[in-house]
Amino acid sequence: MSTITLSNGIKMPFIGLGTWQVKDPEEGILAVKSAIQSGYKAIDTAVVYQNEAAVGEGIKQSGVDREELFITTKVYNDYQGYEETHQSFKESLERLQLDYVDLYLIHWPITEKYHETWRAMEEIYESGKAKAIGISNFHPQHIEDLMTTAKIKPMINQIELHPNLNQKELVTYCQEKNIAITAYSPLGHGNLLDNPIIEEIGKAHNKSVAQVILRWDIQNGITAVPKSVNPERIATNIDVFDFELTTEEMTKIDALHTGERVNKNPDIFVINK
Ligand code: A2P
């Protein structure tokens, strides 16, 4: 099973290519092209990554039918609000050279704006231009507040999640509400790749540390968007469907939690207005 079914019936691939910090357009085009050629169906971008145009070009150059792909983008903080979100979405589609996206997310919980942002996103969803809509970096208090005005429940919450920050409580909270989770920075931004405990687990399965971590996500029902611009690493990061971690191995990885983040904590994130 390489896909998860979202609450509205849409299927989302478990592994997608992350593109945060892929700045160079040529590098971006090549990464997207090589991911799609290695069998990726999902690509994750955002306005603030400034690479939607490169992602669009990579998709075009891959030669794969758009309908086979699952493309995610996000509305950034300074574009939140009703009119602004509609405008930002339109510009994202233009940069991506697409008629629709598969998933559209609110990038960060800007409390005074996300209600109006969501109202625009519901309209975009109802128009068919986003096959699913969701949120990113939202904590339970943000979700509960959003739901006081929302007509449609978010289908995804994309959050920082890796063995050092396993987000158990937030994952359980969302999964109980049938909000699926996507892990960003699933490899801890690369910081976890020399972890001896994961390395040892990998040896038992003839798999790399990155592959073990991504398998741990999948077995927890979590989708992930590992970032790489290296074609070989891109290919190995999706080669995670032919082995299974034991319960004991899963528990060992769970125990690596330290609470250490590589990105900002949404609770104390200062808005870039
Ligand atoms: P690169 O793009 O040169 O491959 P995260 O997704 O957690 O933010 O991690 C991304 C970082 O991990 C990047 O620095 C990326 O570098 C590196 N990376 C991604 N996949 C692998 C892999 N399979 N092996 C080693 N490093 C990797």
Side-chain angles (χ1 to χ4, degrees):
M1 277 290 290
S2 60
T3 60
I4 189 170
T5 303
L6 304 181
S7 61
N8 64 341
I10 293 283
K11 289 191 191 315
M12 176 175 179
F14 264 110
I15 302 295
L17 180 73
T19 65
W20 180 33
Q21 294 183 343
V22 180
K23 287 251 169 71
D24 178 69
E26 288 310 315
E27 200 172 51
I29 294 169
L30 194 75
V32 170
K33 241 175 29 182
S34 81
I36 295 173
Q37 281 156 7
S38 320
Y40 282 65
K41 301 289 184 207
I43 312 288
D44 181 271
T45 180
V47 172
V48 73
Y49 303 167
Q50 299 182 354
N51 59 22
E52 286 174 310
V55 168
E57 195 52 37
I59 292 168
K60 202 168 146 195
Q61 290 185 19
S62 76
V64 168
D65 279 350
R66 193 271 169 265
E67 291 70 35
E68 284 188 35
L69 301 174
F70 189 102
I71 310 301
T72 301
T73 195
K74 316 179 189 86
V75 57
Y76 199 57
N77 307 341
D78 40 1
Y79 297 103
Q80 285 203 41
Y82 178 78
E83 296 290 346
E84 295 88 338
T85 298
H86 273 296
Q87 182 60 27
S88 182
F89 181 71
K90 209 171 129 243
E91 289 169 8
S92 285
L93 284 187
E94 278 165 17
R95 282 189 292 266
L96 286 161
Q97 304 182 59
L98 296 177
D99 302 329
Y100 70 91
V101 297
D102 296 275
L103 179 62
Y104 195 42
L105 302 176
I106 302 184
H107 207 142
W108 287 90
I110 307 303
T111 44
E112 66 271 36
K113 288 202 176 160
Y114 55 53
H115 294 281
E116 283 298 283
T117 302
W118 192 248
R119 191 159 69 83
M121 292 184 54
E122 289 175 329
E123 289 178 2
I124 291 166
Y125 175 66
E126 279 161 358
S127 77
K129 288 186 180 234
K131 303 296 174 199
I133 49 175
I135 52 188
S136 180
N137 296 300
F138 274 52
H139 282 174
Q141 75 269 20
H142 305 125
I143 297 173
E144 267 156 41
D145 182 34
L146 183 70
M147 289 315 295
T148 61
T149 56
K151 286 191 292 169
I152 300 170
K153 193 177 61 176
M155 289 128 209
I156 282 276
N157 189 12
Q158 181 178 129
I159 55 174
E160 179 182 340
L161 189 155
H162 42 74
N164 282 161
L165 185 75
N166 64 30
Q167 301 267 31
K168 284 281 177 213
E169 278 177 32
L170 182 54
V171 169
T172 303
Y173 173 88
C174 289
Q175 288 179 341
E176 278 174 356
K177 292 193 153 29
N178 207 5
I179 299 171
I181 298 285
T182 299
Y184 76 73
S185 298
L187 311 175
H189 228 42
N191 294 344
L192 280 152
L193 293 167
D194 57 359
N195 183 285
I197 292 167
I198 311 178
E199 240 169 41
E200 199 185 309
I201 295 171
K203 272 194 198 127
H205 296 276
N206 204 15
K207 291 285 179 184
S208 70
V209 170
Q211 289 169 321
V212 170
I213 295 174
L214 296 168
R215 184 70 212 174
W216 170 77
D217 285 322
I218 293 168
Q219 288 182 217
N220 281 322
I222 292 168
T223 59
V225 286
K227 174 263 174 188
S228 181
V229 290
N230 174 293
E232 203 178 308
R233 293 196 280 276
I234 288 172
T236 60
N237 288 349
I238 203 169
D239 181 17
V240 290
F241 295 97
D242 61 349
F243 75 111
E244 189 138 6
L245 300 171
T246 63
T247 309
E248 198 193 348
E249 289 166 338
M250 293 289 287
T251 309
K252 272 191 191 165
I253 302 171
D254 288 345
L256 297 174
H257 178 82
T258 58
E260 202 180 324
R261 291 175 183 271
V262 296
N263 203 343
K264 302 178 193 84
N265 182 338
D267 285 339
I268 52 174
F269 180 51
V270 180
I271 310 162
N272 168 24
K273 281 187 184 166

